[in-house]
Amino acid sequence: MRRLTVFAAALAAAFGIMTLDGAALAQQGSPNGWHMGPGMMGGYGFMGWFGGIFTIVVWVLIIVGLVLLIKWLVQSTRSEPGASAGTGAATSRALEILRERYARGEIDKAEFEEKKKDLTS
C-alpha cells in the first residue's frame, strides 16, 4: 500500500509540473519594445524542427517509463507472501536438494516420496 501511495504522489507531482502554464514561466513583455516575432529564424524558433522531434522523444520516454512503473507496481503488489510457496524456481530448487539428499542416503525412499509429494502439491 505504501508503494501505491508513493506512486500516486509522484504521478500527481509529474502532472502538476507538466500542466504549468508556459506564459507564467516566460517573460511578459519585452524591454524597450524589442521582441522576437514569427520572422525571427525563419519562424521556427531556436531549435527548429529538431525541437519537435525532441519533444516527441521526451513524451514517448515519459509514457514508456510510466507504463513500466505501473507494470512493476502491479507485479510487486500482486504476489502476496506465502500465497503460493509451492510454485516456480523455489520448488525446482527444493526438489533438486531433495534428490541430492536421497542420492547421498540421508533419507530413505518413503521419506523422499513423502517430501516430494508435499513439495509438488
Side-chain angles (χ1 to χ4, degrees), residues 85 88-101 112 119:
T91 301
S92 62
R93 178 68 182 135
L95 285 172
E96 183 180 329
I97 293 170
L98 186 63
R99 286 186 189 104
E100 289 172 4
R101 290 184 63 200
F112 172 77
L119 287 172

Side-chain angles (χ1 to χ4, degrees), residues 14-94:
F15 281 126
I17 290 171
M18 288 188 290
T19 58
L20 288 174
D21 187 16
L25 299 175
Q27 288 182 341
Q28 297 297 315
S30 60
N32 302 326
W34 293 91
H35 57 84
M36 290 177 53
M40 297 295 291
M41 295 180 215
Y44 293 109
F46 175 71
M47 304 227 0
W49 59 270
F50 180 73
I53 292 173
F54 182 72
T55 302
I56 291 170
V57 168
V58 168
W59 276 108
V60 166
L61 290 175
I62 289 172
I63 291 170
V64 167
L66 285 174
V67 167
L68 291 175
L69 180 65
I70 290 170
K71 181 181 175 186
W72 176 76
L73 284 171
V74 167
Q75 288 177 348
S76 66
T77 57
R78 185 175 292 170
S79 62
E80 298 174 8
S84 59
T87 60
T91 301
S92 62
R93 178 68 182 135

